[in-house]
Amino acid sequence: MSDIDATHPVDLESKRFSIRKPEVRYDKQGERPDSDRLAAAMQAFVQDMGRAAATYLESCIHCGNCAEACHFYVQTGDPKYTPIWKLEPFKQAYKRTVGPFAWLYRALNLKHAVTVEQLQEWQHLLYDSCTVCGRCSMICPMGIDIASLVSQARHGMFAAGLVPHELWAVAERAEREGSPLGATPKVFADRVEWLADDFEVELPLDRPEAEVLVTFSSIEIMKYPASLVATARILQHAGYSWTLSTKGYEATNFGLLSGNAAWQRDMTMKLVDAAIACGAKVLVLPECGHAYTALRWMGANAYGKPLPFRVLHISEFLAENVQNGRLRLQKVPKSLAFHDPCQVSRRGGAVAAPRVVLAALGVELRETRDHGSLGWCCGGGGGVVTIHRADPLRYKAFEIKMSQLDATGAELTVTSCGNCRQTFDDGQAHFGWARTMGSLLELVAANLRD
Amino acid sequence: MDLLDFARGPALWTSIAVCILGLAWRLSAILRRPARPDWSEPRSTATSAGALRMIVRRTWHHETFRERTFLSSLNAYAYHVGLALVFFGFLPHIEFVRRLTGLAWPAVPGWLFVLAVAATFVGLGWALIARLTNPVLKLLSGFDDYFSWGVTILPLITGMAVISLALDQPYPARPLAPVPVAIHLLSLELLLVWLPFGKLSHAFLVFLSRGYTGAAFARKGAEP
Ligand code: SF4
Ligand code: SF4
């Protein structure tokens, strides 16, 4: 499969960035016997079955409530999209291998053994129809964090070589080239130089020492370069000594999304090493949801000890600097609706930060009916937006978001995740929707007050 | 030894032992699973408070889910509260516990007991109908779900057969019709024996499961 990107190059023309729609799909990676795939999946499953996962897998009472929180079920009414059902093979593996009564389950075949055919069928459920948004985790009466289990189950799927073609391809590219969308270190350096010249901003690259290391997502680098310029203006305005690094600039982590823990670690360590190399006290993550999960909440675990610097999502960085007076903003006399990126708000605990910034901008914040920790996902997280065959389902999920945003009647809509943004751009084009999703960061940069 | 002696003696003690040992085994098997340290910088260190908060928070759904889950939540409360009232509030049950342990507490009034029995039957009946007809529940359900339902309702049914003997009378040391009482007791013992192996263990696991998530969410500053 090493020729996969030559066969399926990155598509930077469409509204959402992925690889071009594959003519022939390779949803089964590599050539090996099914028994090997199964053994690899089972080994990875069992590795992930720690105390929390075991508690969750023992606790489900099959009440079905989680279905009612998931956009994919709510919009289709198809029971297979019930969140906990997406974990059925993981649960089967658990009950038959490490569960307290595993011998009984095996002896009486109370749970069937997992098969490769089943895993292939579940690929659609564990990837195409789960954005790992965690909304289901908010409804479960047993408090089961279903989304965390989906991420773990993906490890087994990756080990078995059963990842959706596009997601595998971009993850592999990210591991090999340093970016899922072709933003290699050289491309990154070139774009930084171009932006610095064209927009007359300082974008310091590879400074040996800096207080703040700023990172981006390749969605921004390739699709929303204005975000890079906006970030530079903000850091300059706030008077920080900062740098970008060609050694660690890509904050997206397709190792996490695809389910390859080793790649996830590699991607994380590039950022960690870059921050340590320049002695940064703070690493600022871009407008990207899963980057926050990957580094803020999982990064230190890849490092094996506490990180020697703080990790802030850009919305938190903005909020802190609004509060400490380093960022002075002019008022924006408009009504605005904010889309909470699931990984930052619900999963990351940073619901308040963007609202602090919006309050400083003086906008009239019109919240959607469901917002903050209970907001609906845009439908494109968890790598779903890369998968072409998931488009019809994703658009269905997107309809909830559109209608809730429309109901606010707000003049502006902004978010703080580039991946959500491209999902909105794509949804906007698909539905001919009147709204355009903007960026909180860019709104702030456009309203800096001297 | 007749059936009642058996039900009150070896069957009772065996079922209690199986229940306790089974639960201990199940919980210890979970707790023996490895737990990796979390090195991320916590937003809050009040994780125990977070666990408690989640335990309390999830006793009722978030308002936004009301439209879709109100009736099923209400129904679950109907038969959970009903069962608790019947089990702990019925005078003969209290007497039974008192004879075994010396502990006693006031019984619920007769009308409330009757209401609790009715709510439990209706609630469990509704739960079964939902499980058999709702496509999501049908898909999720297996042997455990139906068997657990069965062993829960069985003591209620067998209890109905002896209820006239005892509702307004002090609990007789030797019931006039010992066989129905023995059967009632045996049905409870079946429930106790099954409890550690199936979903009925959620009575205990609920604290662990909500607690884990509550602690993890609190660490991240996420809402429960
Ligand atoms: S994490 Fe989100 S997309 Fe996945 S099952 Fe739960 S609610 Fe659905
Ligand atoms: S809401 Fe929780 S307990 Fe109910 S079926 Fe889903 S995972 Fe299981």
Side-chain angles (χ1 to χ4, degrees):
Chain A
M1 300 301 292
S2 57
D3 63 345
I4 195 154
D5 13 284
T7 324
H8 299 283
V10 166
D11 178 10
L12 301 179
E13 308 302 317
S14 67
K15 291 286 178 193
R16 60 97 188 273
F17 285 6
S18 178
I19 59 165
R20 288 216 184 104
K21 188 171 183 174
E23 278 165 24
V24 182
R25 299 192 62 87
Y26 295 101
D27 295 316
K28 207 171 176 182
Q29 291 84 38
E31 297 293 330
R32 55 186 164 135
D34 280 356
S35 54
D36 279 11
R37 287 183 197 276
L38 189 60
M42 296 302 281
Q43 198 189 355
F45 280 166
V46 169
Q47 244 175 29
D48 276 319
M49 287 162 184
R51 203 174 292 165
T55 306
Y56 295 152
L57 294 168
E58 289 290 331
S59 300
C60 177
I61 50 170
H62 292 170
C63 69
N65 275 7
C66 46
E68 307 297 344
C70 177
H71 37 281
F72 295 117
Y73 171 76
V74 168
Q75 288 297 86
T76 62
D78 188 335
K80 74 176 180 212
Y81 295 131
T82 301
I84 199 69
W85 184 248
K86 297 173 186 174
L87 290 153
E88 187 60 16
F90 193 55
K91 205 171 179 181
Q92 280 169 234
Y94 168 80
K95 296 271 183 188
R96 288 180 66 100
T97 54
V98 301
F101 306 113
W103 53 273
L104 201 64
Y105 276 89
R106 281 197 305 273
L108 302 177
N109 204 23
L110 294 176
K111 279 273 180 207
H112 297 299
V114 179
T115 64
V116 166
E117 291 72 31
Q118 187 192 9
L119 291 179
Q120 278 181 275
E121 193 188 334
W122 252 259
Q123 188 185 87
H124 173 68
L125 298 180
L126 283 166
Y127 289 100
D128 305 29
S129 61
C130 182
T131 52
V132 202
C133 73
R135 201 164 187 274
C136 50
S137 307
M138 301 300 289
I139 199 174
C140 176
M142 295 299 288
I144 297 171
D145 186 10
I146 306 164
S148 69
L149 296 176
V150 170
S151 290
Q152 291 171 4
R154 284 186 177 187
H155 291 152
M157 296 297 283
F158 198 106
L162 293 173
V163 181
H165 181 143
E166 301 92 331
L167 187 53
W168 186 89
V170 291
E172 191 273 342
R173 187 195 280 271
E175 170 69 2
R176 186 165 36 82
E177 292 186 345
S179 154
L181 298 173
T184 61
K186 175 157 187 338
V187 169
F188 176 62
D190 287 351
R191 284 180 86 80
V192 163
E193 197 186 326
W194 157 63
L195 290 167
D197 286 352
D198 267 29
F199 292 87
E200 294 176 1
V201 285
E202 206 193 339
L203 279 156
L205 191 59
D206 291 329
R207 276 197 182 148
E209 274 179 37
E211 192 183 349
V212 178
L213 175 72
V214 172
T215 62
F216 293 114
S217 85
S218 45
I219 300 168
E220 290 172 317
I221 299 166
M222 306 305 279
K223 185 171 162 62
Y224 304 119
S227 283
L228 277 65
V229 176
T231 308
R233 294 219 162 106
I234 286 165
L235 276 129
Q236 206 168 336
H237 178 96
Y240 281 100
S241 118
W242 68 287
T243 189
L244 304 168
S245 165
T246 48
K247 300 270 183 337
Y249 57 93
E250 173 60 84
T252 64
N253 195 316
F254 276 76
L256 167 65
L257 298 183
S258 62
N260 186 317
W263 289 358
Q264 180 183 343
R265 188 177 179 281
D266 291 347
M267 292 168 197
T268 294
M269 287 310 296
K270 280 187 189 166
L271 300 182
V272 172
D273 290 340
I276 291 172
C278 69
K281 291 194 187 69
V282 178
L283 185 150
V284 176
L285 289 169
E287 290 199 315
C288 175
H290 80 267
Y292 191 62
T293 295
L295 195 69
R296 174 65 179 89
W297 297 114
M298 301 171 107
N301 298 333
Y303 186 52
K305 54 189 171 187
L307 295 173
F309 50 86
R310 293 173 69 215
V311 177
L312 293 177
H313 185 259
I314 183 77
S315 59
E316 293 178 296
F317 182 77
L318 294 174
E320 263 194 25
N321 283 283
V322 160
Q323 284 171 327
N324 67 20
R326 285 176 87 156
L327 272 185
R328 293 163 307 282
L329 306 179
Q330 60 196 22
K331 300 292 177 200
V332 178
K334 295 229 157 125
S335 57
L336 179 148
F338 182 74
H339 163 70
D340 285 278
C342 306
Q343 299 301 321
V344 182
S345 288
R346 174 166 41 245
R347 307 287 293 161
V351 174
R355 288 164 176 82
V356 167
V357 179
L358 291 170
L361 283 166
V363 296
E364 179 206 335
L365 179 60
R366 294 198 190 163
E367 297 282 20
T368 46
R369 178 183 176 270
D370 301 305
H371 58 269
S373 298
L374 293 161
W376 290 91
C377 175
C378 63
V384 170
V385 74
T386 62
I387 307 169
H388 289 269
R389 68 179 182 198
D391 288 354
L393 191 60
R394 176 166 59 83
Y395 292 138
K396 283 205 172 93
F398 185 69
E399 285 176 32
I400 304 181
K401 203 74 229 188
M402 272 196 305
S403 73
Q404 290 212 342
L405 284 167
D406 281 340
T408 65
E411 292 160 274
L412 300 175
T413 44
V414 302
T415 187
S416 56
C417 171
N419 194 58
C420 296
R421 249 176 113 189
Q422 67 161 340
T423 304
F424 276 93
D425 285 356
D426 187 61
Q428 181 185 17
H430 177 79
F431 288 102
W433 193 37
R435 292 173 185 278
T436 301
M437 184 49 73
S439 140
L440 177 68
L441 161 74
E442 290 174 28
L443 186 67
V444 167
N447 291 285
L448 296 170
R449 181 162 54 85
D450 289 327
Chain B
M1 185 191 292
D2 67 7
L3 194 62
L4 186 62
D5 290 333
F6 172 71
R8 282 178 171 180
L12 178 66
W13 296 116
T14 309
S15 64
I16 290 174
V18 169
C19 184
I20 292 173
L21 291 175
L23 266 176
W25 171 255
R26 185 158 174 188
L27 293 177
S28 70
I30 294 170
L31 297 174
R32 282 200 311 270
R33 296 299 306 158
R36 293 188 193 128
D38 188 346
W39 297 109
S40 63
E41 183 200 346
R43 205 188 294 277
S44 158
T45 50
T47 49
S48 305
L52 278 174
R53 221 177 132 210
M54 181 69 93
I55 288 170
V56 174
R57 184 66 196 77
R58 291 298 166 90
T59 51
W60 193 246
H61 49 245
H62 286 278
E63 181 55 21
T64 188
F65 299 127
R66 186 164 57 88
E67 265 167 49
R68 302 188 73 95
T69 58
F70 179 74
L71 288 179
S72 60
S73 301
L74 199 66
N75 189 48
Y77 266 95
Y79 65 77
H80 278 88
V81 173
L83 272 175
L85 285 176
V86 172
F87 192 79
F88 295 109
F90 188 39
L91 186 62
H93 294 167
I94 300 168
E95 281 290 298
F96 178 74
V97 175
R98 193 188 54 76
R99 278 199 315 126
L100 289 176
T101 65
L103 294 172
W105 53 88
V108 298
W111 64 267
L112 184 56
F113 171 73
V114 172
L115 199 72
V117 171
T120 310
F121 268 116
V122 172
L124 282 173
W126 187 1
L128 181 66
I129 291 168
R131 202 164 276 292
L132 290 167
T133 55
N134 177 301
V136 167
L137 294 175
K138 249 183 2 191
L139 181 69
L140 294 180
S141 302
F143 171 79
D144 180 17
D145 299 284
Y146 296 111
F147 192 71
S148 295
W149 183 90
V151 300
T152 306
I153 203 161
L154 206 57
L156 280 165
I157 295 170
T158 58
M160 294 305 284
V162 294
I163 202 166
S164 60
L165 297 174
L167 191 53
D168 293 320
Q169 300 165 20
Y171 190 66
R174 184 77 203 170
L176 297 175
V179 173
V181 174
I183 292 174
H184 178 49
L185 201 47
L186 286 169
S187 66
L188 170 78
E189 287 153 9
L190 178 65
L191 185 149
L192 287 177
V193 167
W194 177 245
L195 191 142
F197 302 101
K199 68 186 288 189
L200 297 178
S201 298
H202 76 271
F204 299 90
L205 289 167
V206 67
F207 301 105
L208 209 56
S209 173
R210 284 185 192 170
Y212 260 124
T213 305
F217 278 23
R219 198 168 194 285
K220 294 198 283 187
E223 288 172 28

